[in-house]
């Protein structure tokens, strides 16, 4: 493969993801020089990738992190299996990985961490904010990898989740929280690029810090291959 060719970036989705949502995934990777490849339970699993995005979507099955089963949420067991297998394969290879929303949670669970199954139950009086617009403020830990990539100490983000990282997994550091104290970003101390953000940077196409994050993934994928 030519060194200047676009690195292949796998993006995990459900089989039922809308075309509009997939377009934002595709465009986010393509505009920064990557070659997006959709990965879902019904598609063949790749043997080689230059980078991996674990995307947003339904809740993770509670038994993966020792949580209590909730009957009023959507889960996708086949997708859980796919993504856990991909992390098992590509993290040890040093493949750059970015987790988005559910993806950040799954990275933490894969490394032995836990989740808060419903933040609106756990945190009394928390303001419900479910929007693709950047309405929530997060503070980023100084000198973290995320801080150096985004180049900001705080930023405005969107919010589409009702679960959150609770106890950090092996080698995981919590590097951003919102003003309610909820975990909003994690990163690994043991890998060159293993980052999870609770928000959706792919929807924030005019937000420079968020686009720097996706650009950094593509750059890391190009360097690592």
């Amino acid at each position: 493969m030519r060194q200047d060719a676009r690195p292949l970036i796998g993006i995990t989705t459900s089989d039922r993801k809308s075309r509009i949502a997939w377009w934002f995934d595709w465009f986010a990777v393509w505009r920064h020089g990557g070659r997006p490849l959709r990965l879902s339970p019904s598609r063949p699993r790749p043997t080689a990738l230059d980078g991996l995005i674990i995307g947003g979507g339904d809740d993770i099955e509670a038994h993966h992190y020792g949580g209590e089963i909730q009957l009023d949420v959507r889960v996708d067991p086949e997708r859980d299996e796919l993504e856990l297998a991909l992390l098992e394969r590509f993290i040890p290879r040093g493949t750059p990985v970015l987790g988005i929303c559910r993806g950040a949670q799954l990275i933490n669970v894969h490394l032995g961490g836990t989740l808060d199954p419903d933040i609106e139950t756990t945190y009394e009086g928390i303001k419900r904010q479910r929007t693709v617009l950047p309405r929530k403020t997060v503070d980023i830990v100084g000198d973290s990898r995320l801080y150096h990539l985004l180049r900001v100490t705080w930023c405005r983000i969107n919010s589409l989740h009702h679960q959150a990282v609770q106890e950090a997994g092996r080698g995981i550091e919590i590097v951003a929280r919102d003003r309610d104290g909820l975990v909003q970003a994690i990163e690994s101390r043991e890998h060159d690029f293993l980052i999870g953000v609770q928000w959706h940077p792919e929807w924030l196409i005019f937000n420079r810090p968020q686009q720097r994050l996706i650009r950094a993934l593509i750059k890391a994928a190009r360097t690592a291959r």
Side-chain angles (χ1 to χ4, degrees):
M1 179 180 293
R2 300 194 322 273
Q3 193 61 28
D4 61 345
R6 288 176 175 265
L8 182 63
I9 310 297
I11 308 171
T12 63
T13 75
S14 69
D15 284 321
R16 55 180 175 266
K17 187 164 189 174
S18 73
R19 290 185 179 181
I20 292 176
W22 167 246
W23 182 89
F24 277 94
D25 291 337
W26 181 94
F27 181 69
V29 168
W30 183 263
R31 74 183 294 198
H32 295 300
R35 182 159 55 99
L37 173 67
R38 183 171 182 172
L39 308 176
S40 72
S42 67
R43 289 173 166 79
R45 298 184 183 183
T47 58
L49 290 171
D50 298 313
L52 176 63
I53 294 175
I54 304 294
D58 295 335
D59 287 2
I60 299 164
E61 283 203 301
H63 71 84
H64 288 300
Y65 57 91
E68 295 183 4
I69 296 175
Q70 294 181 297
L71 301 179
D72 58 343
V73 299
R74 293 200 316 178
V75 294
D76 192 341
E78 292 80 14
R79 185 175 174 190
D80 290 348
E81 178 186 346
L82 166 68
E83 292 173 334
L84 290 169
L86 289 170
L87 293 175
E88 184 72 27
R89 174 186 289 269
F90 288 107
I91 287 179
R93 296 183 180 183
T95 303
V97 178
L98 173 64
I100 293 176
C101 197
R102 163 198 163 91
Q105 298 167 11
L106 195 91
I107 288 171
N108 192 58
V109 168
H110 173 68
L111 294 173
T114 63
L115 303 180
D116 184 331
D118 188 357
I119 58 176
E120 293 169 10
T121 300
T122 305
Y123 292 80
E124 293 185 9
I126 193 171
K127 184 178 179 181
R128 182 180 176 90
Q129 289 181 298
R130 293 180 66 83
T131 174
V132 297
L133 301 176
R135 301 297 193 198
K136 181 179 286 190
T137 302
V138 300
D139 296 304
I140 300 169
V141 173
D143 207 35
S144 63
R145 184 180 301 275
L146 184 65
Y147 163 76
H148 288 292
L149 294 179
L150 299 188
R151 290 183 256 161
V152 293
T153 57
W154 65 273
C155 60
R156 300 280 285 178
I157 60 165
N158 50 28
S159 179
L160 294 170
H161 65 103
H162 78 98
Q163 295 188 316
V165 168
Q166 191 173 64
E167 296 178 3
R170 296 182 301 275
I172 288 294
E173 289 185 344
I174 295 169
V175 293
R177 293 181 184 269
D178 63 27
R179 299 293 166 86
D180 291 314
L182 294 173
V183 176
Q184 290 290 335
I186 59 173
E187 64 187 37
S188 172
R189 298 187 296 265
E190 301 172 356
H191 302 85
D192 290 336
F193 198 113
L194 180 57
I195 298 173
V197 296
Q198 190 60 69
W199 60 89
H200 286 259
E202 75 278 18
W203 287 92
L204 301 173
I205 61 176
F206 300 113
N207 185 303
R208 290 183 179 179
Q210 304 310 322
Q211 294 310 305
R212 289 184 193 123
L213 177 59
I214 297 171
R215 187 184 308 125
L217 172 71
I218 308 305
K219 181 179 180 181
R222 182 177 287 112
T223 301
R225 69 183 182 190

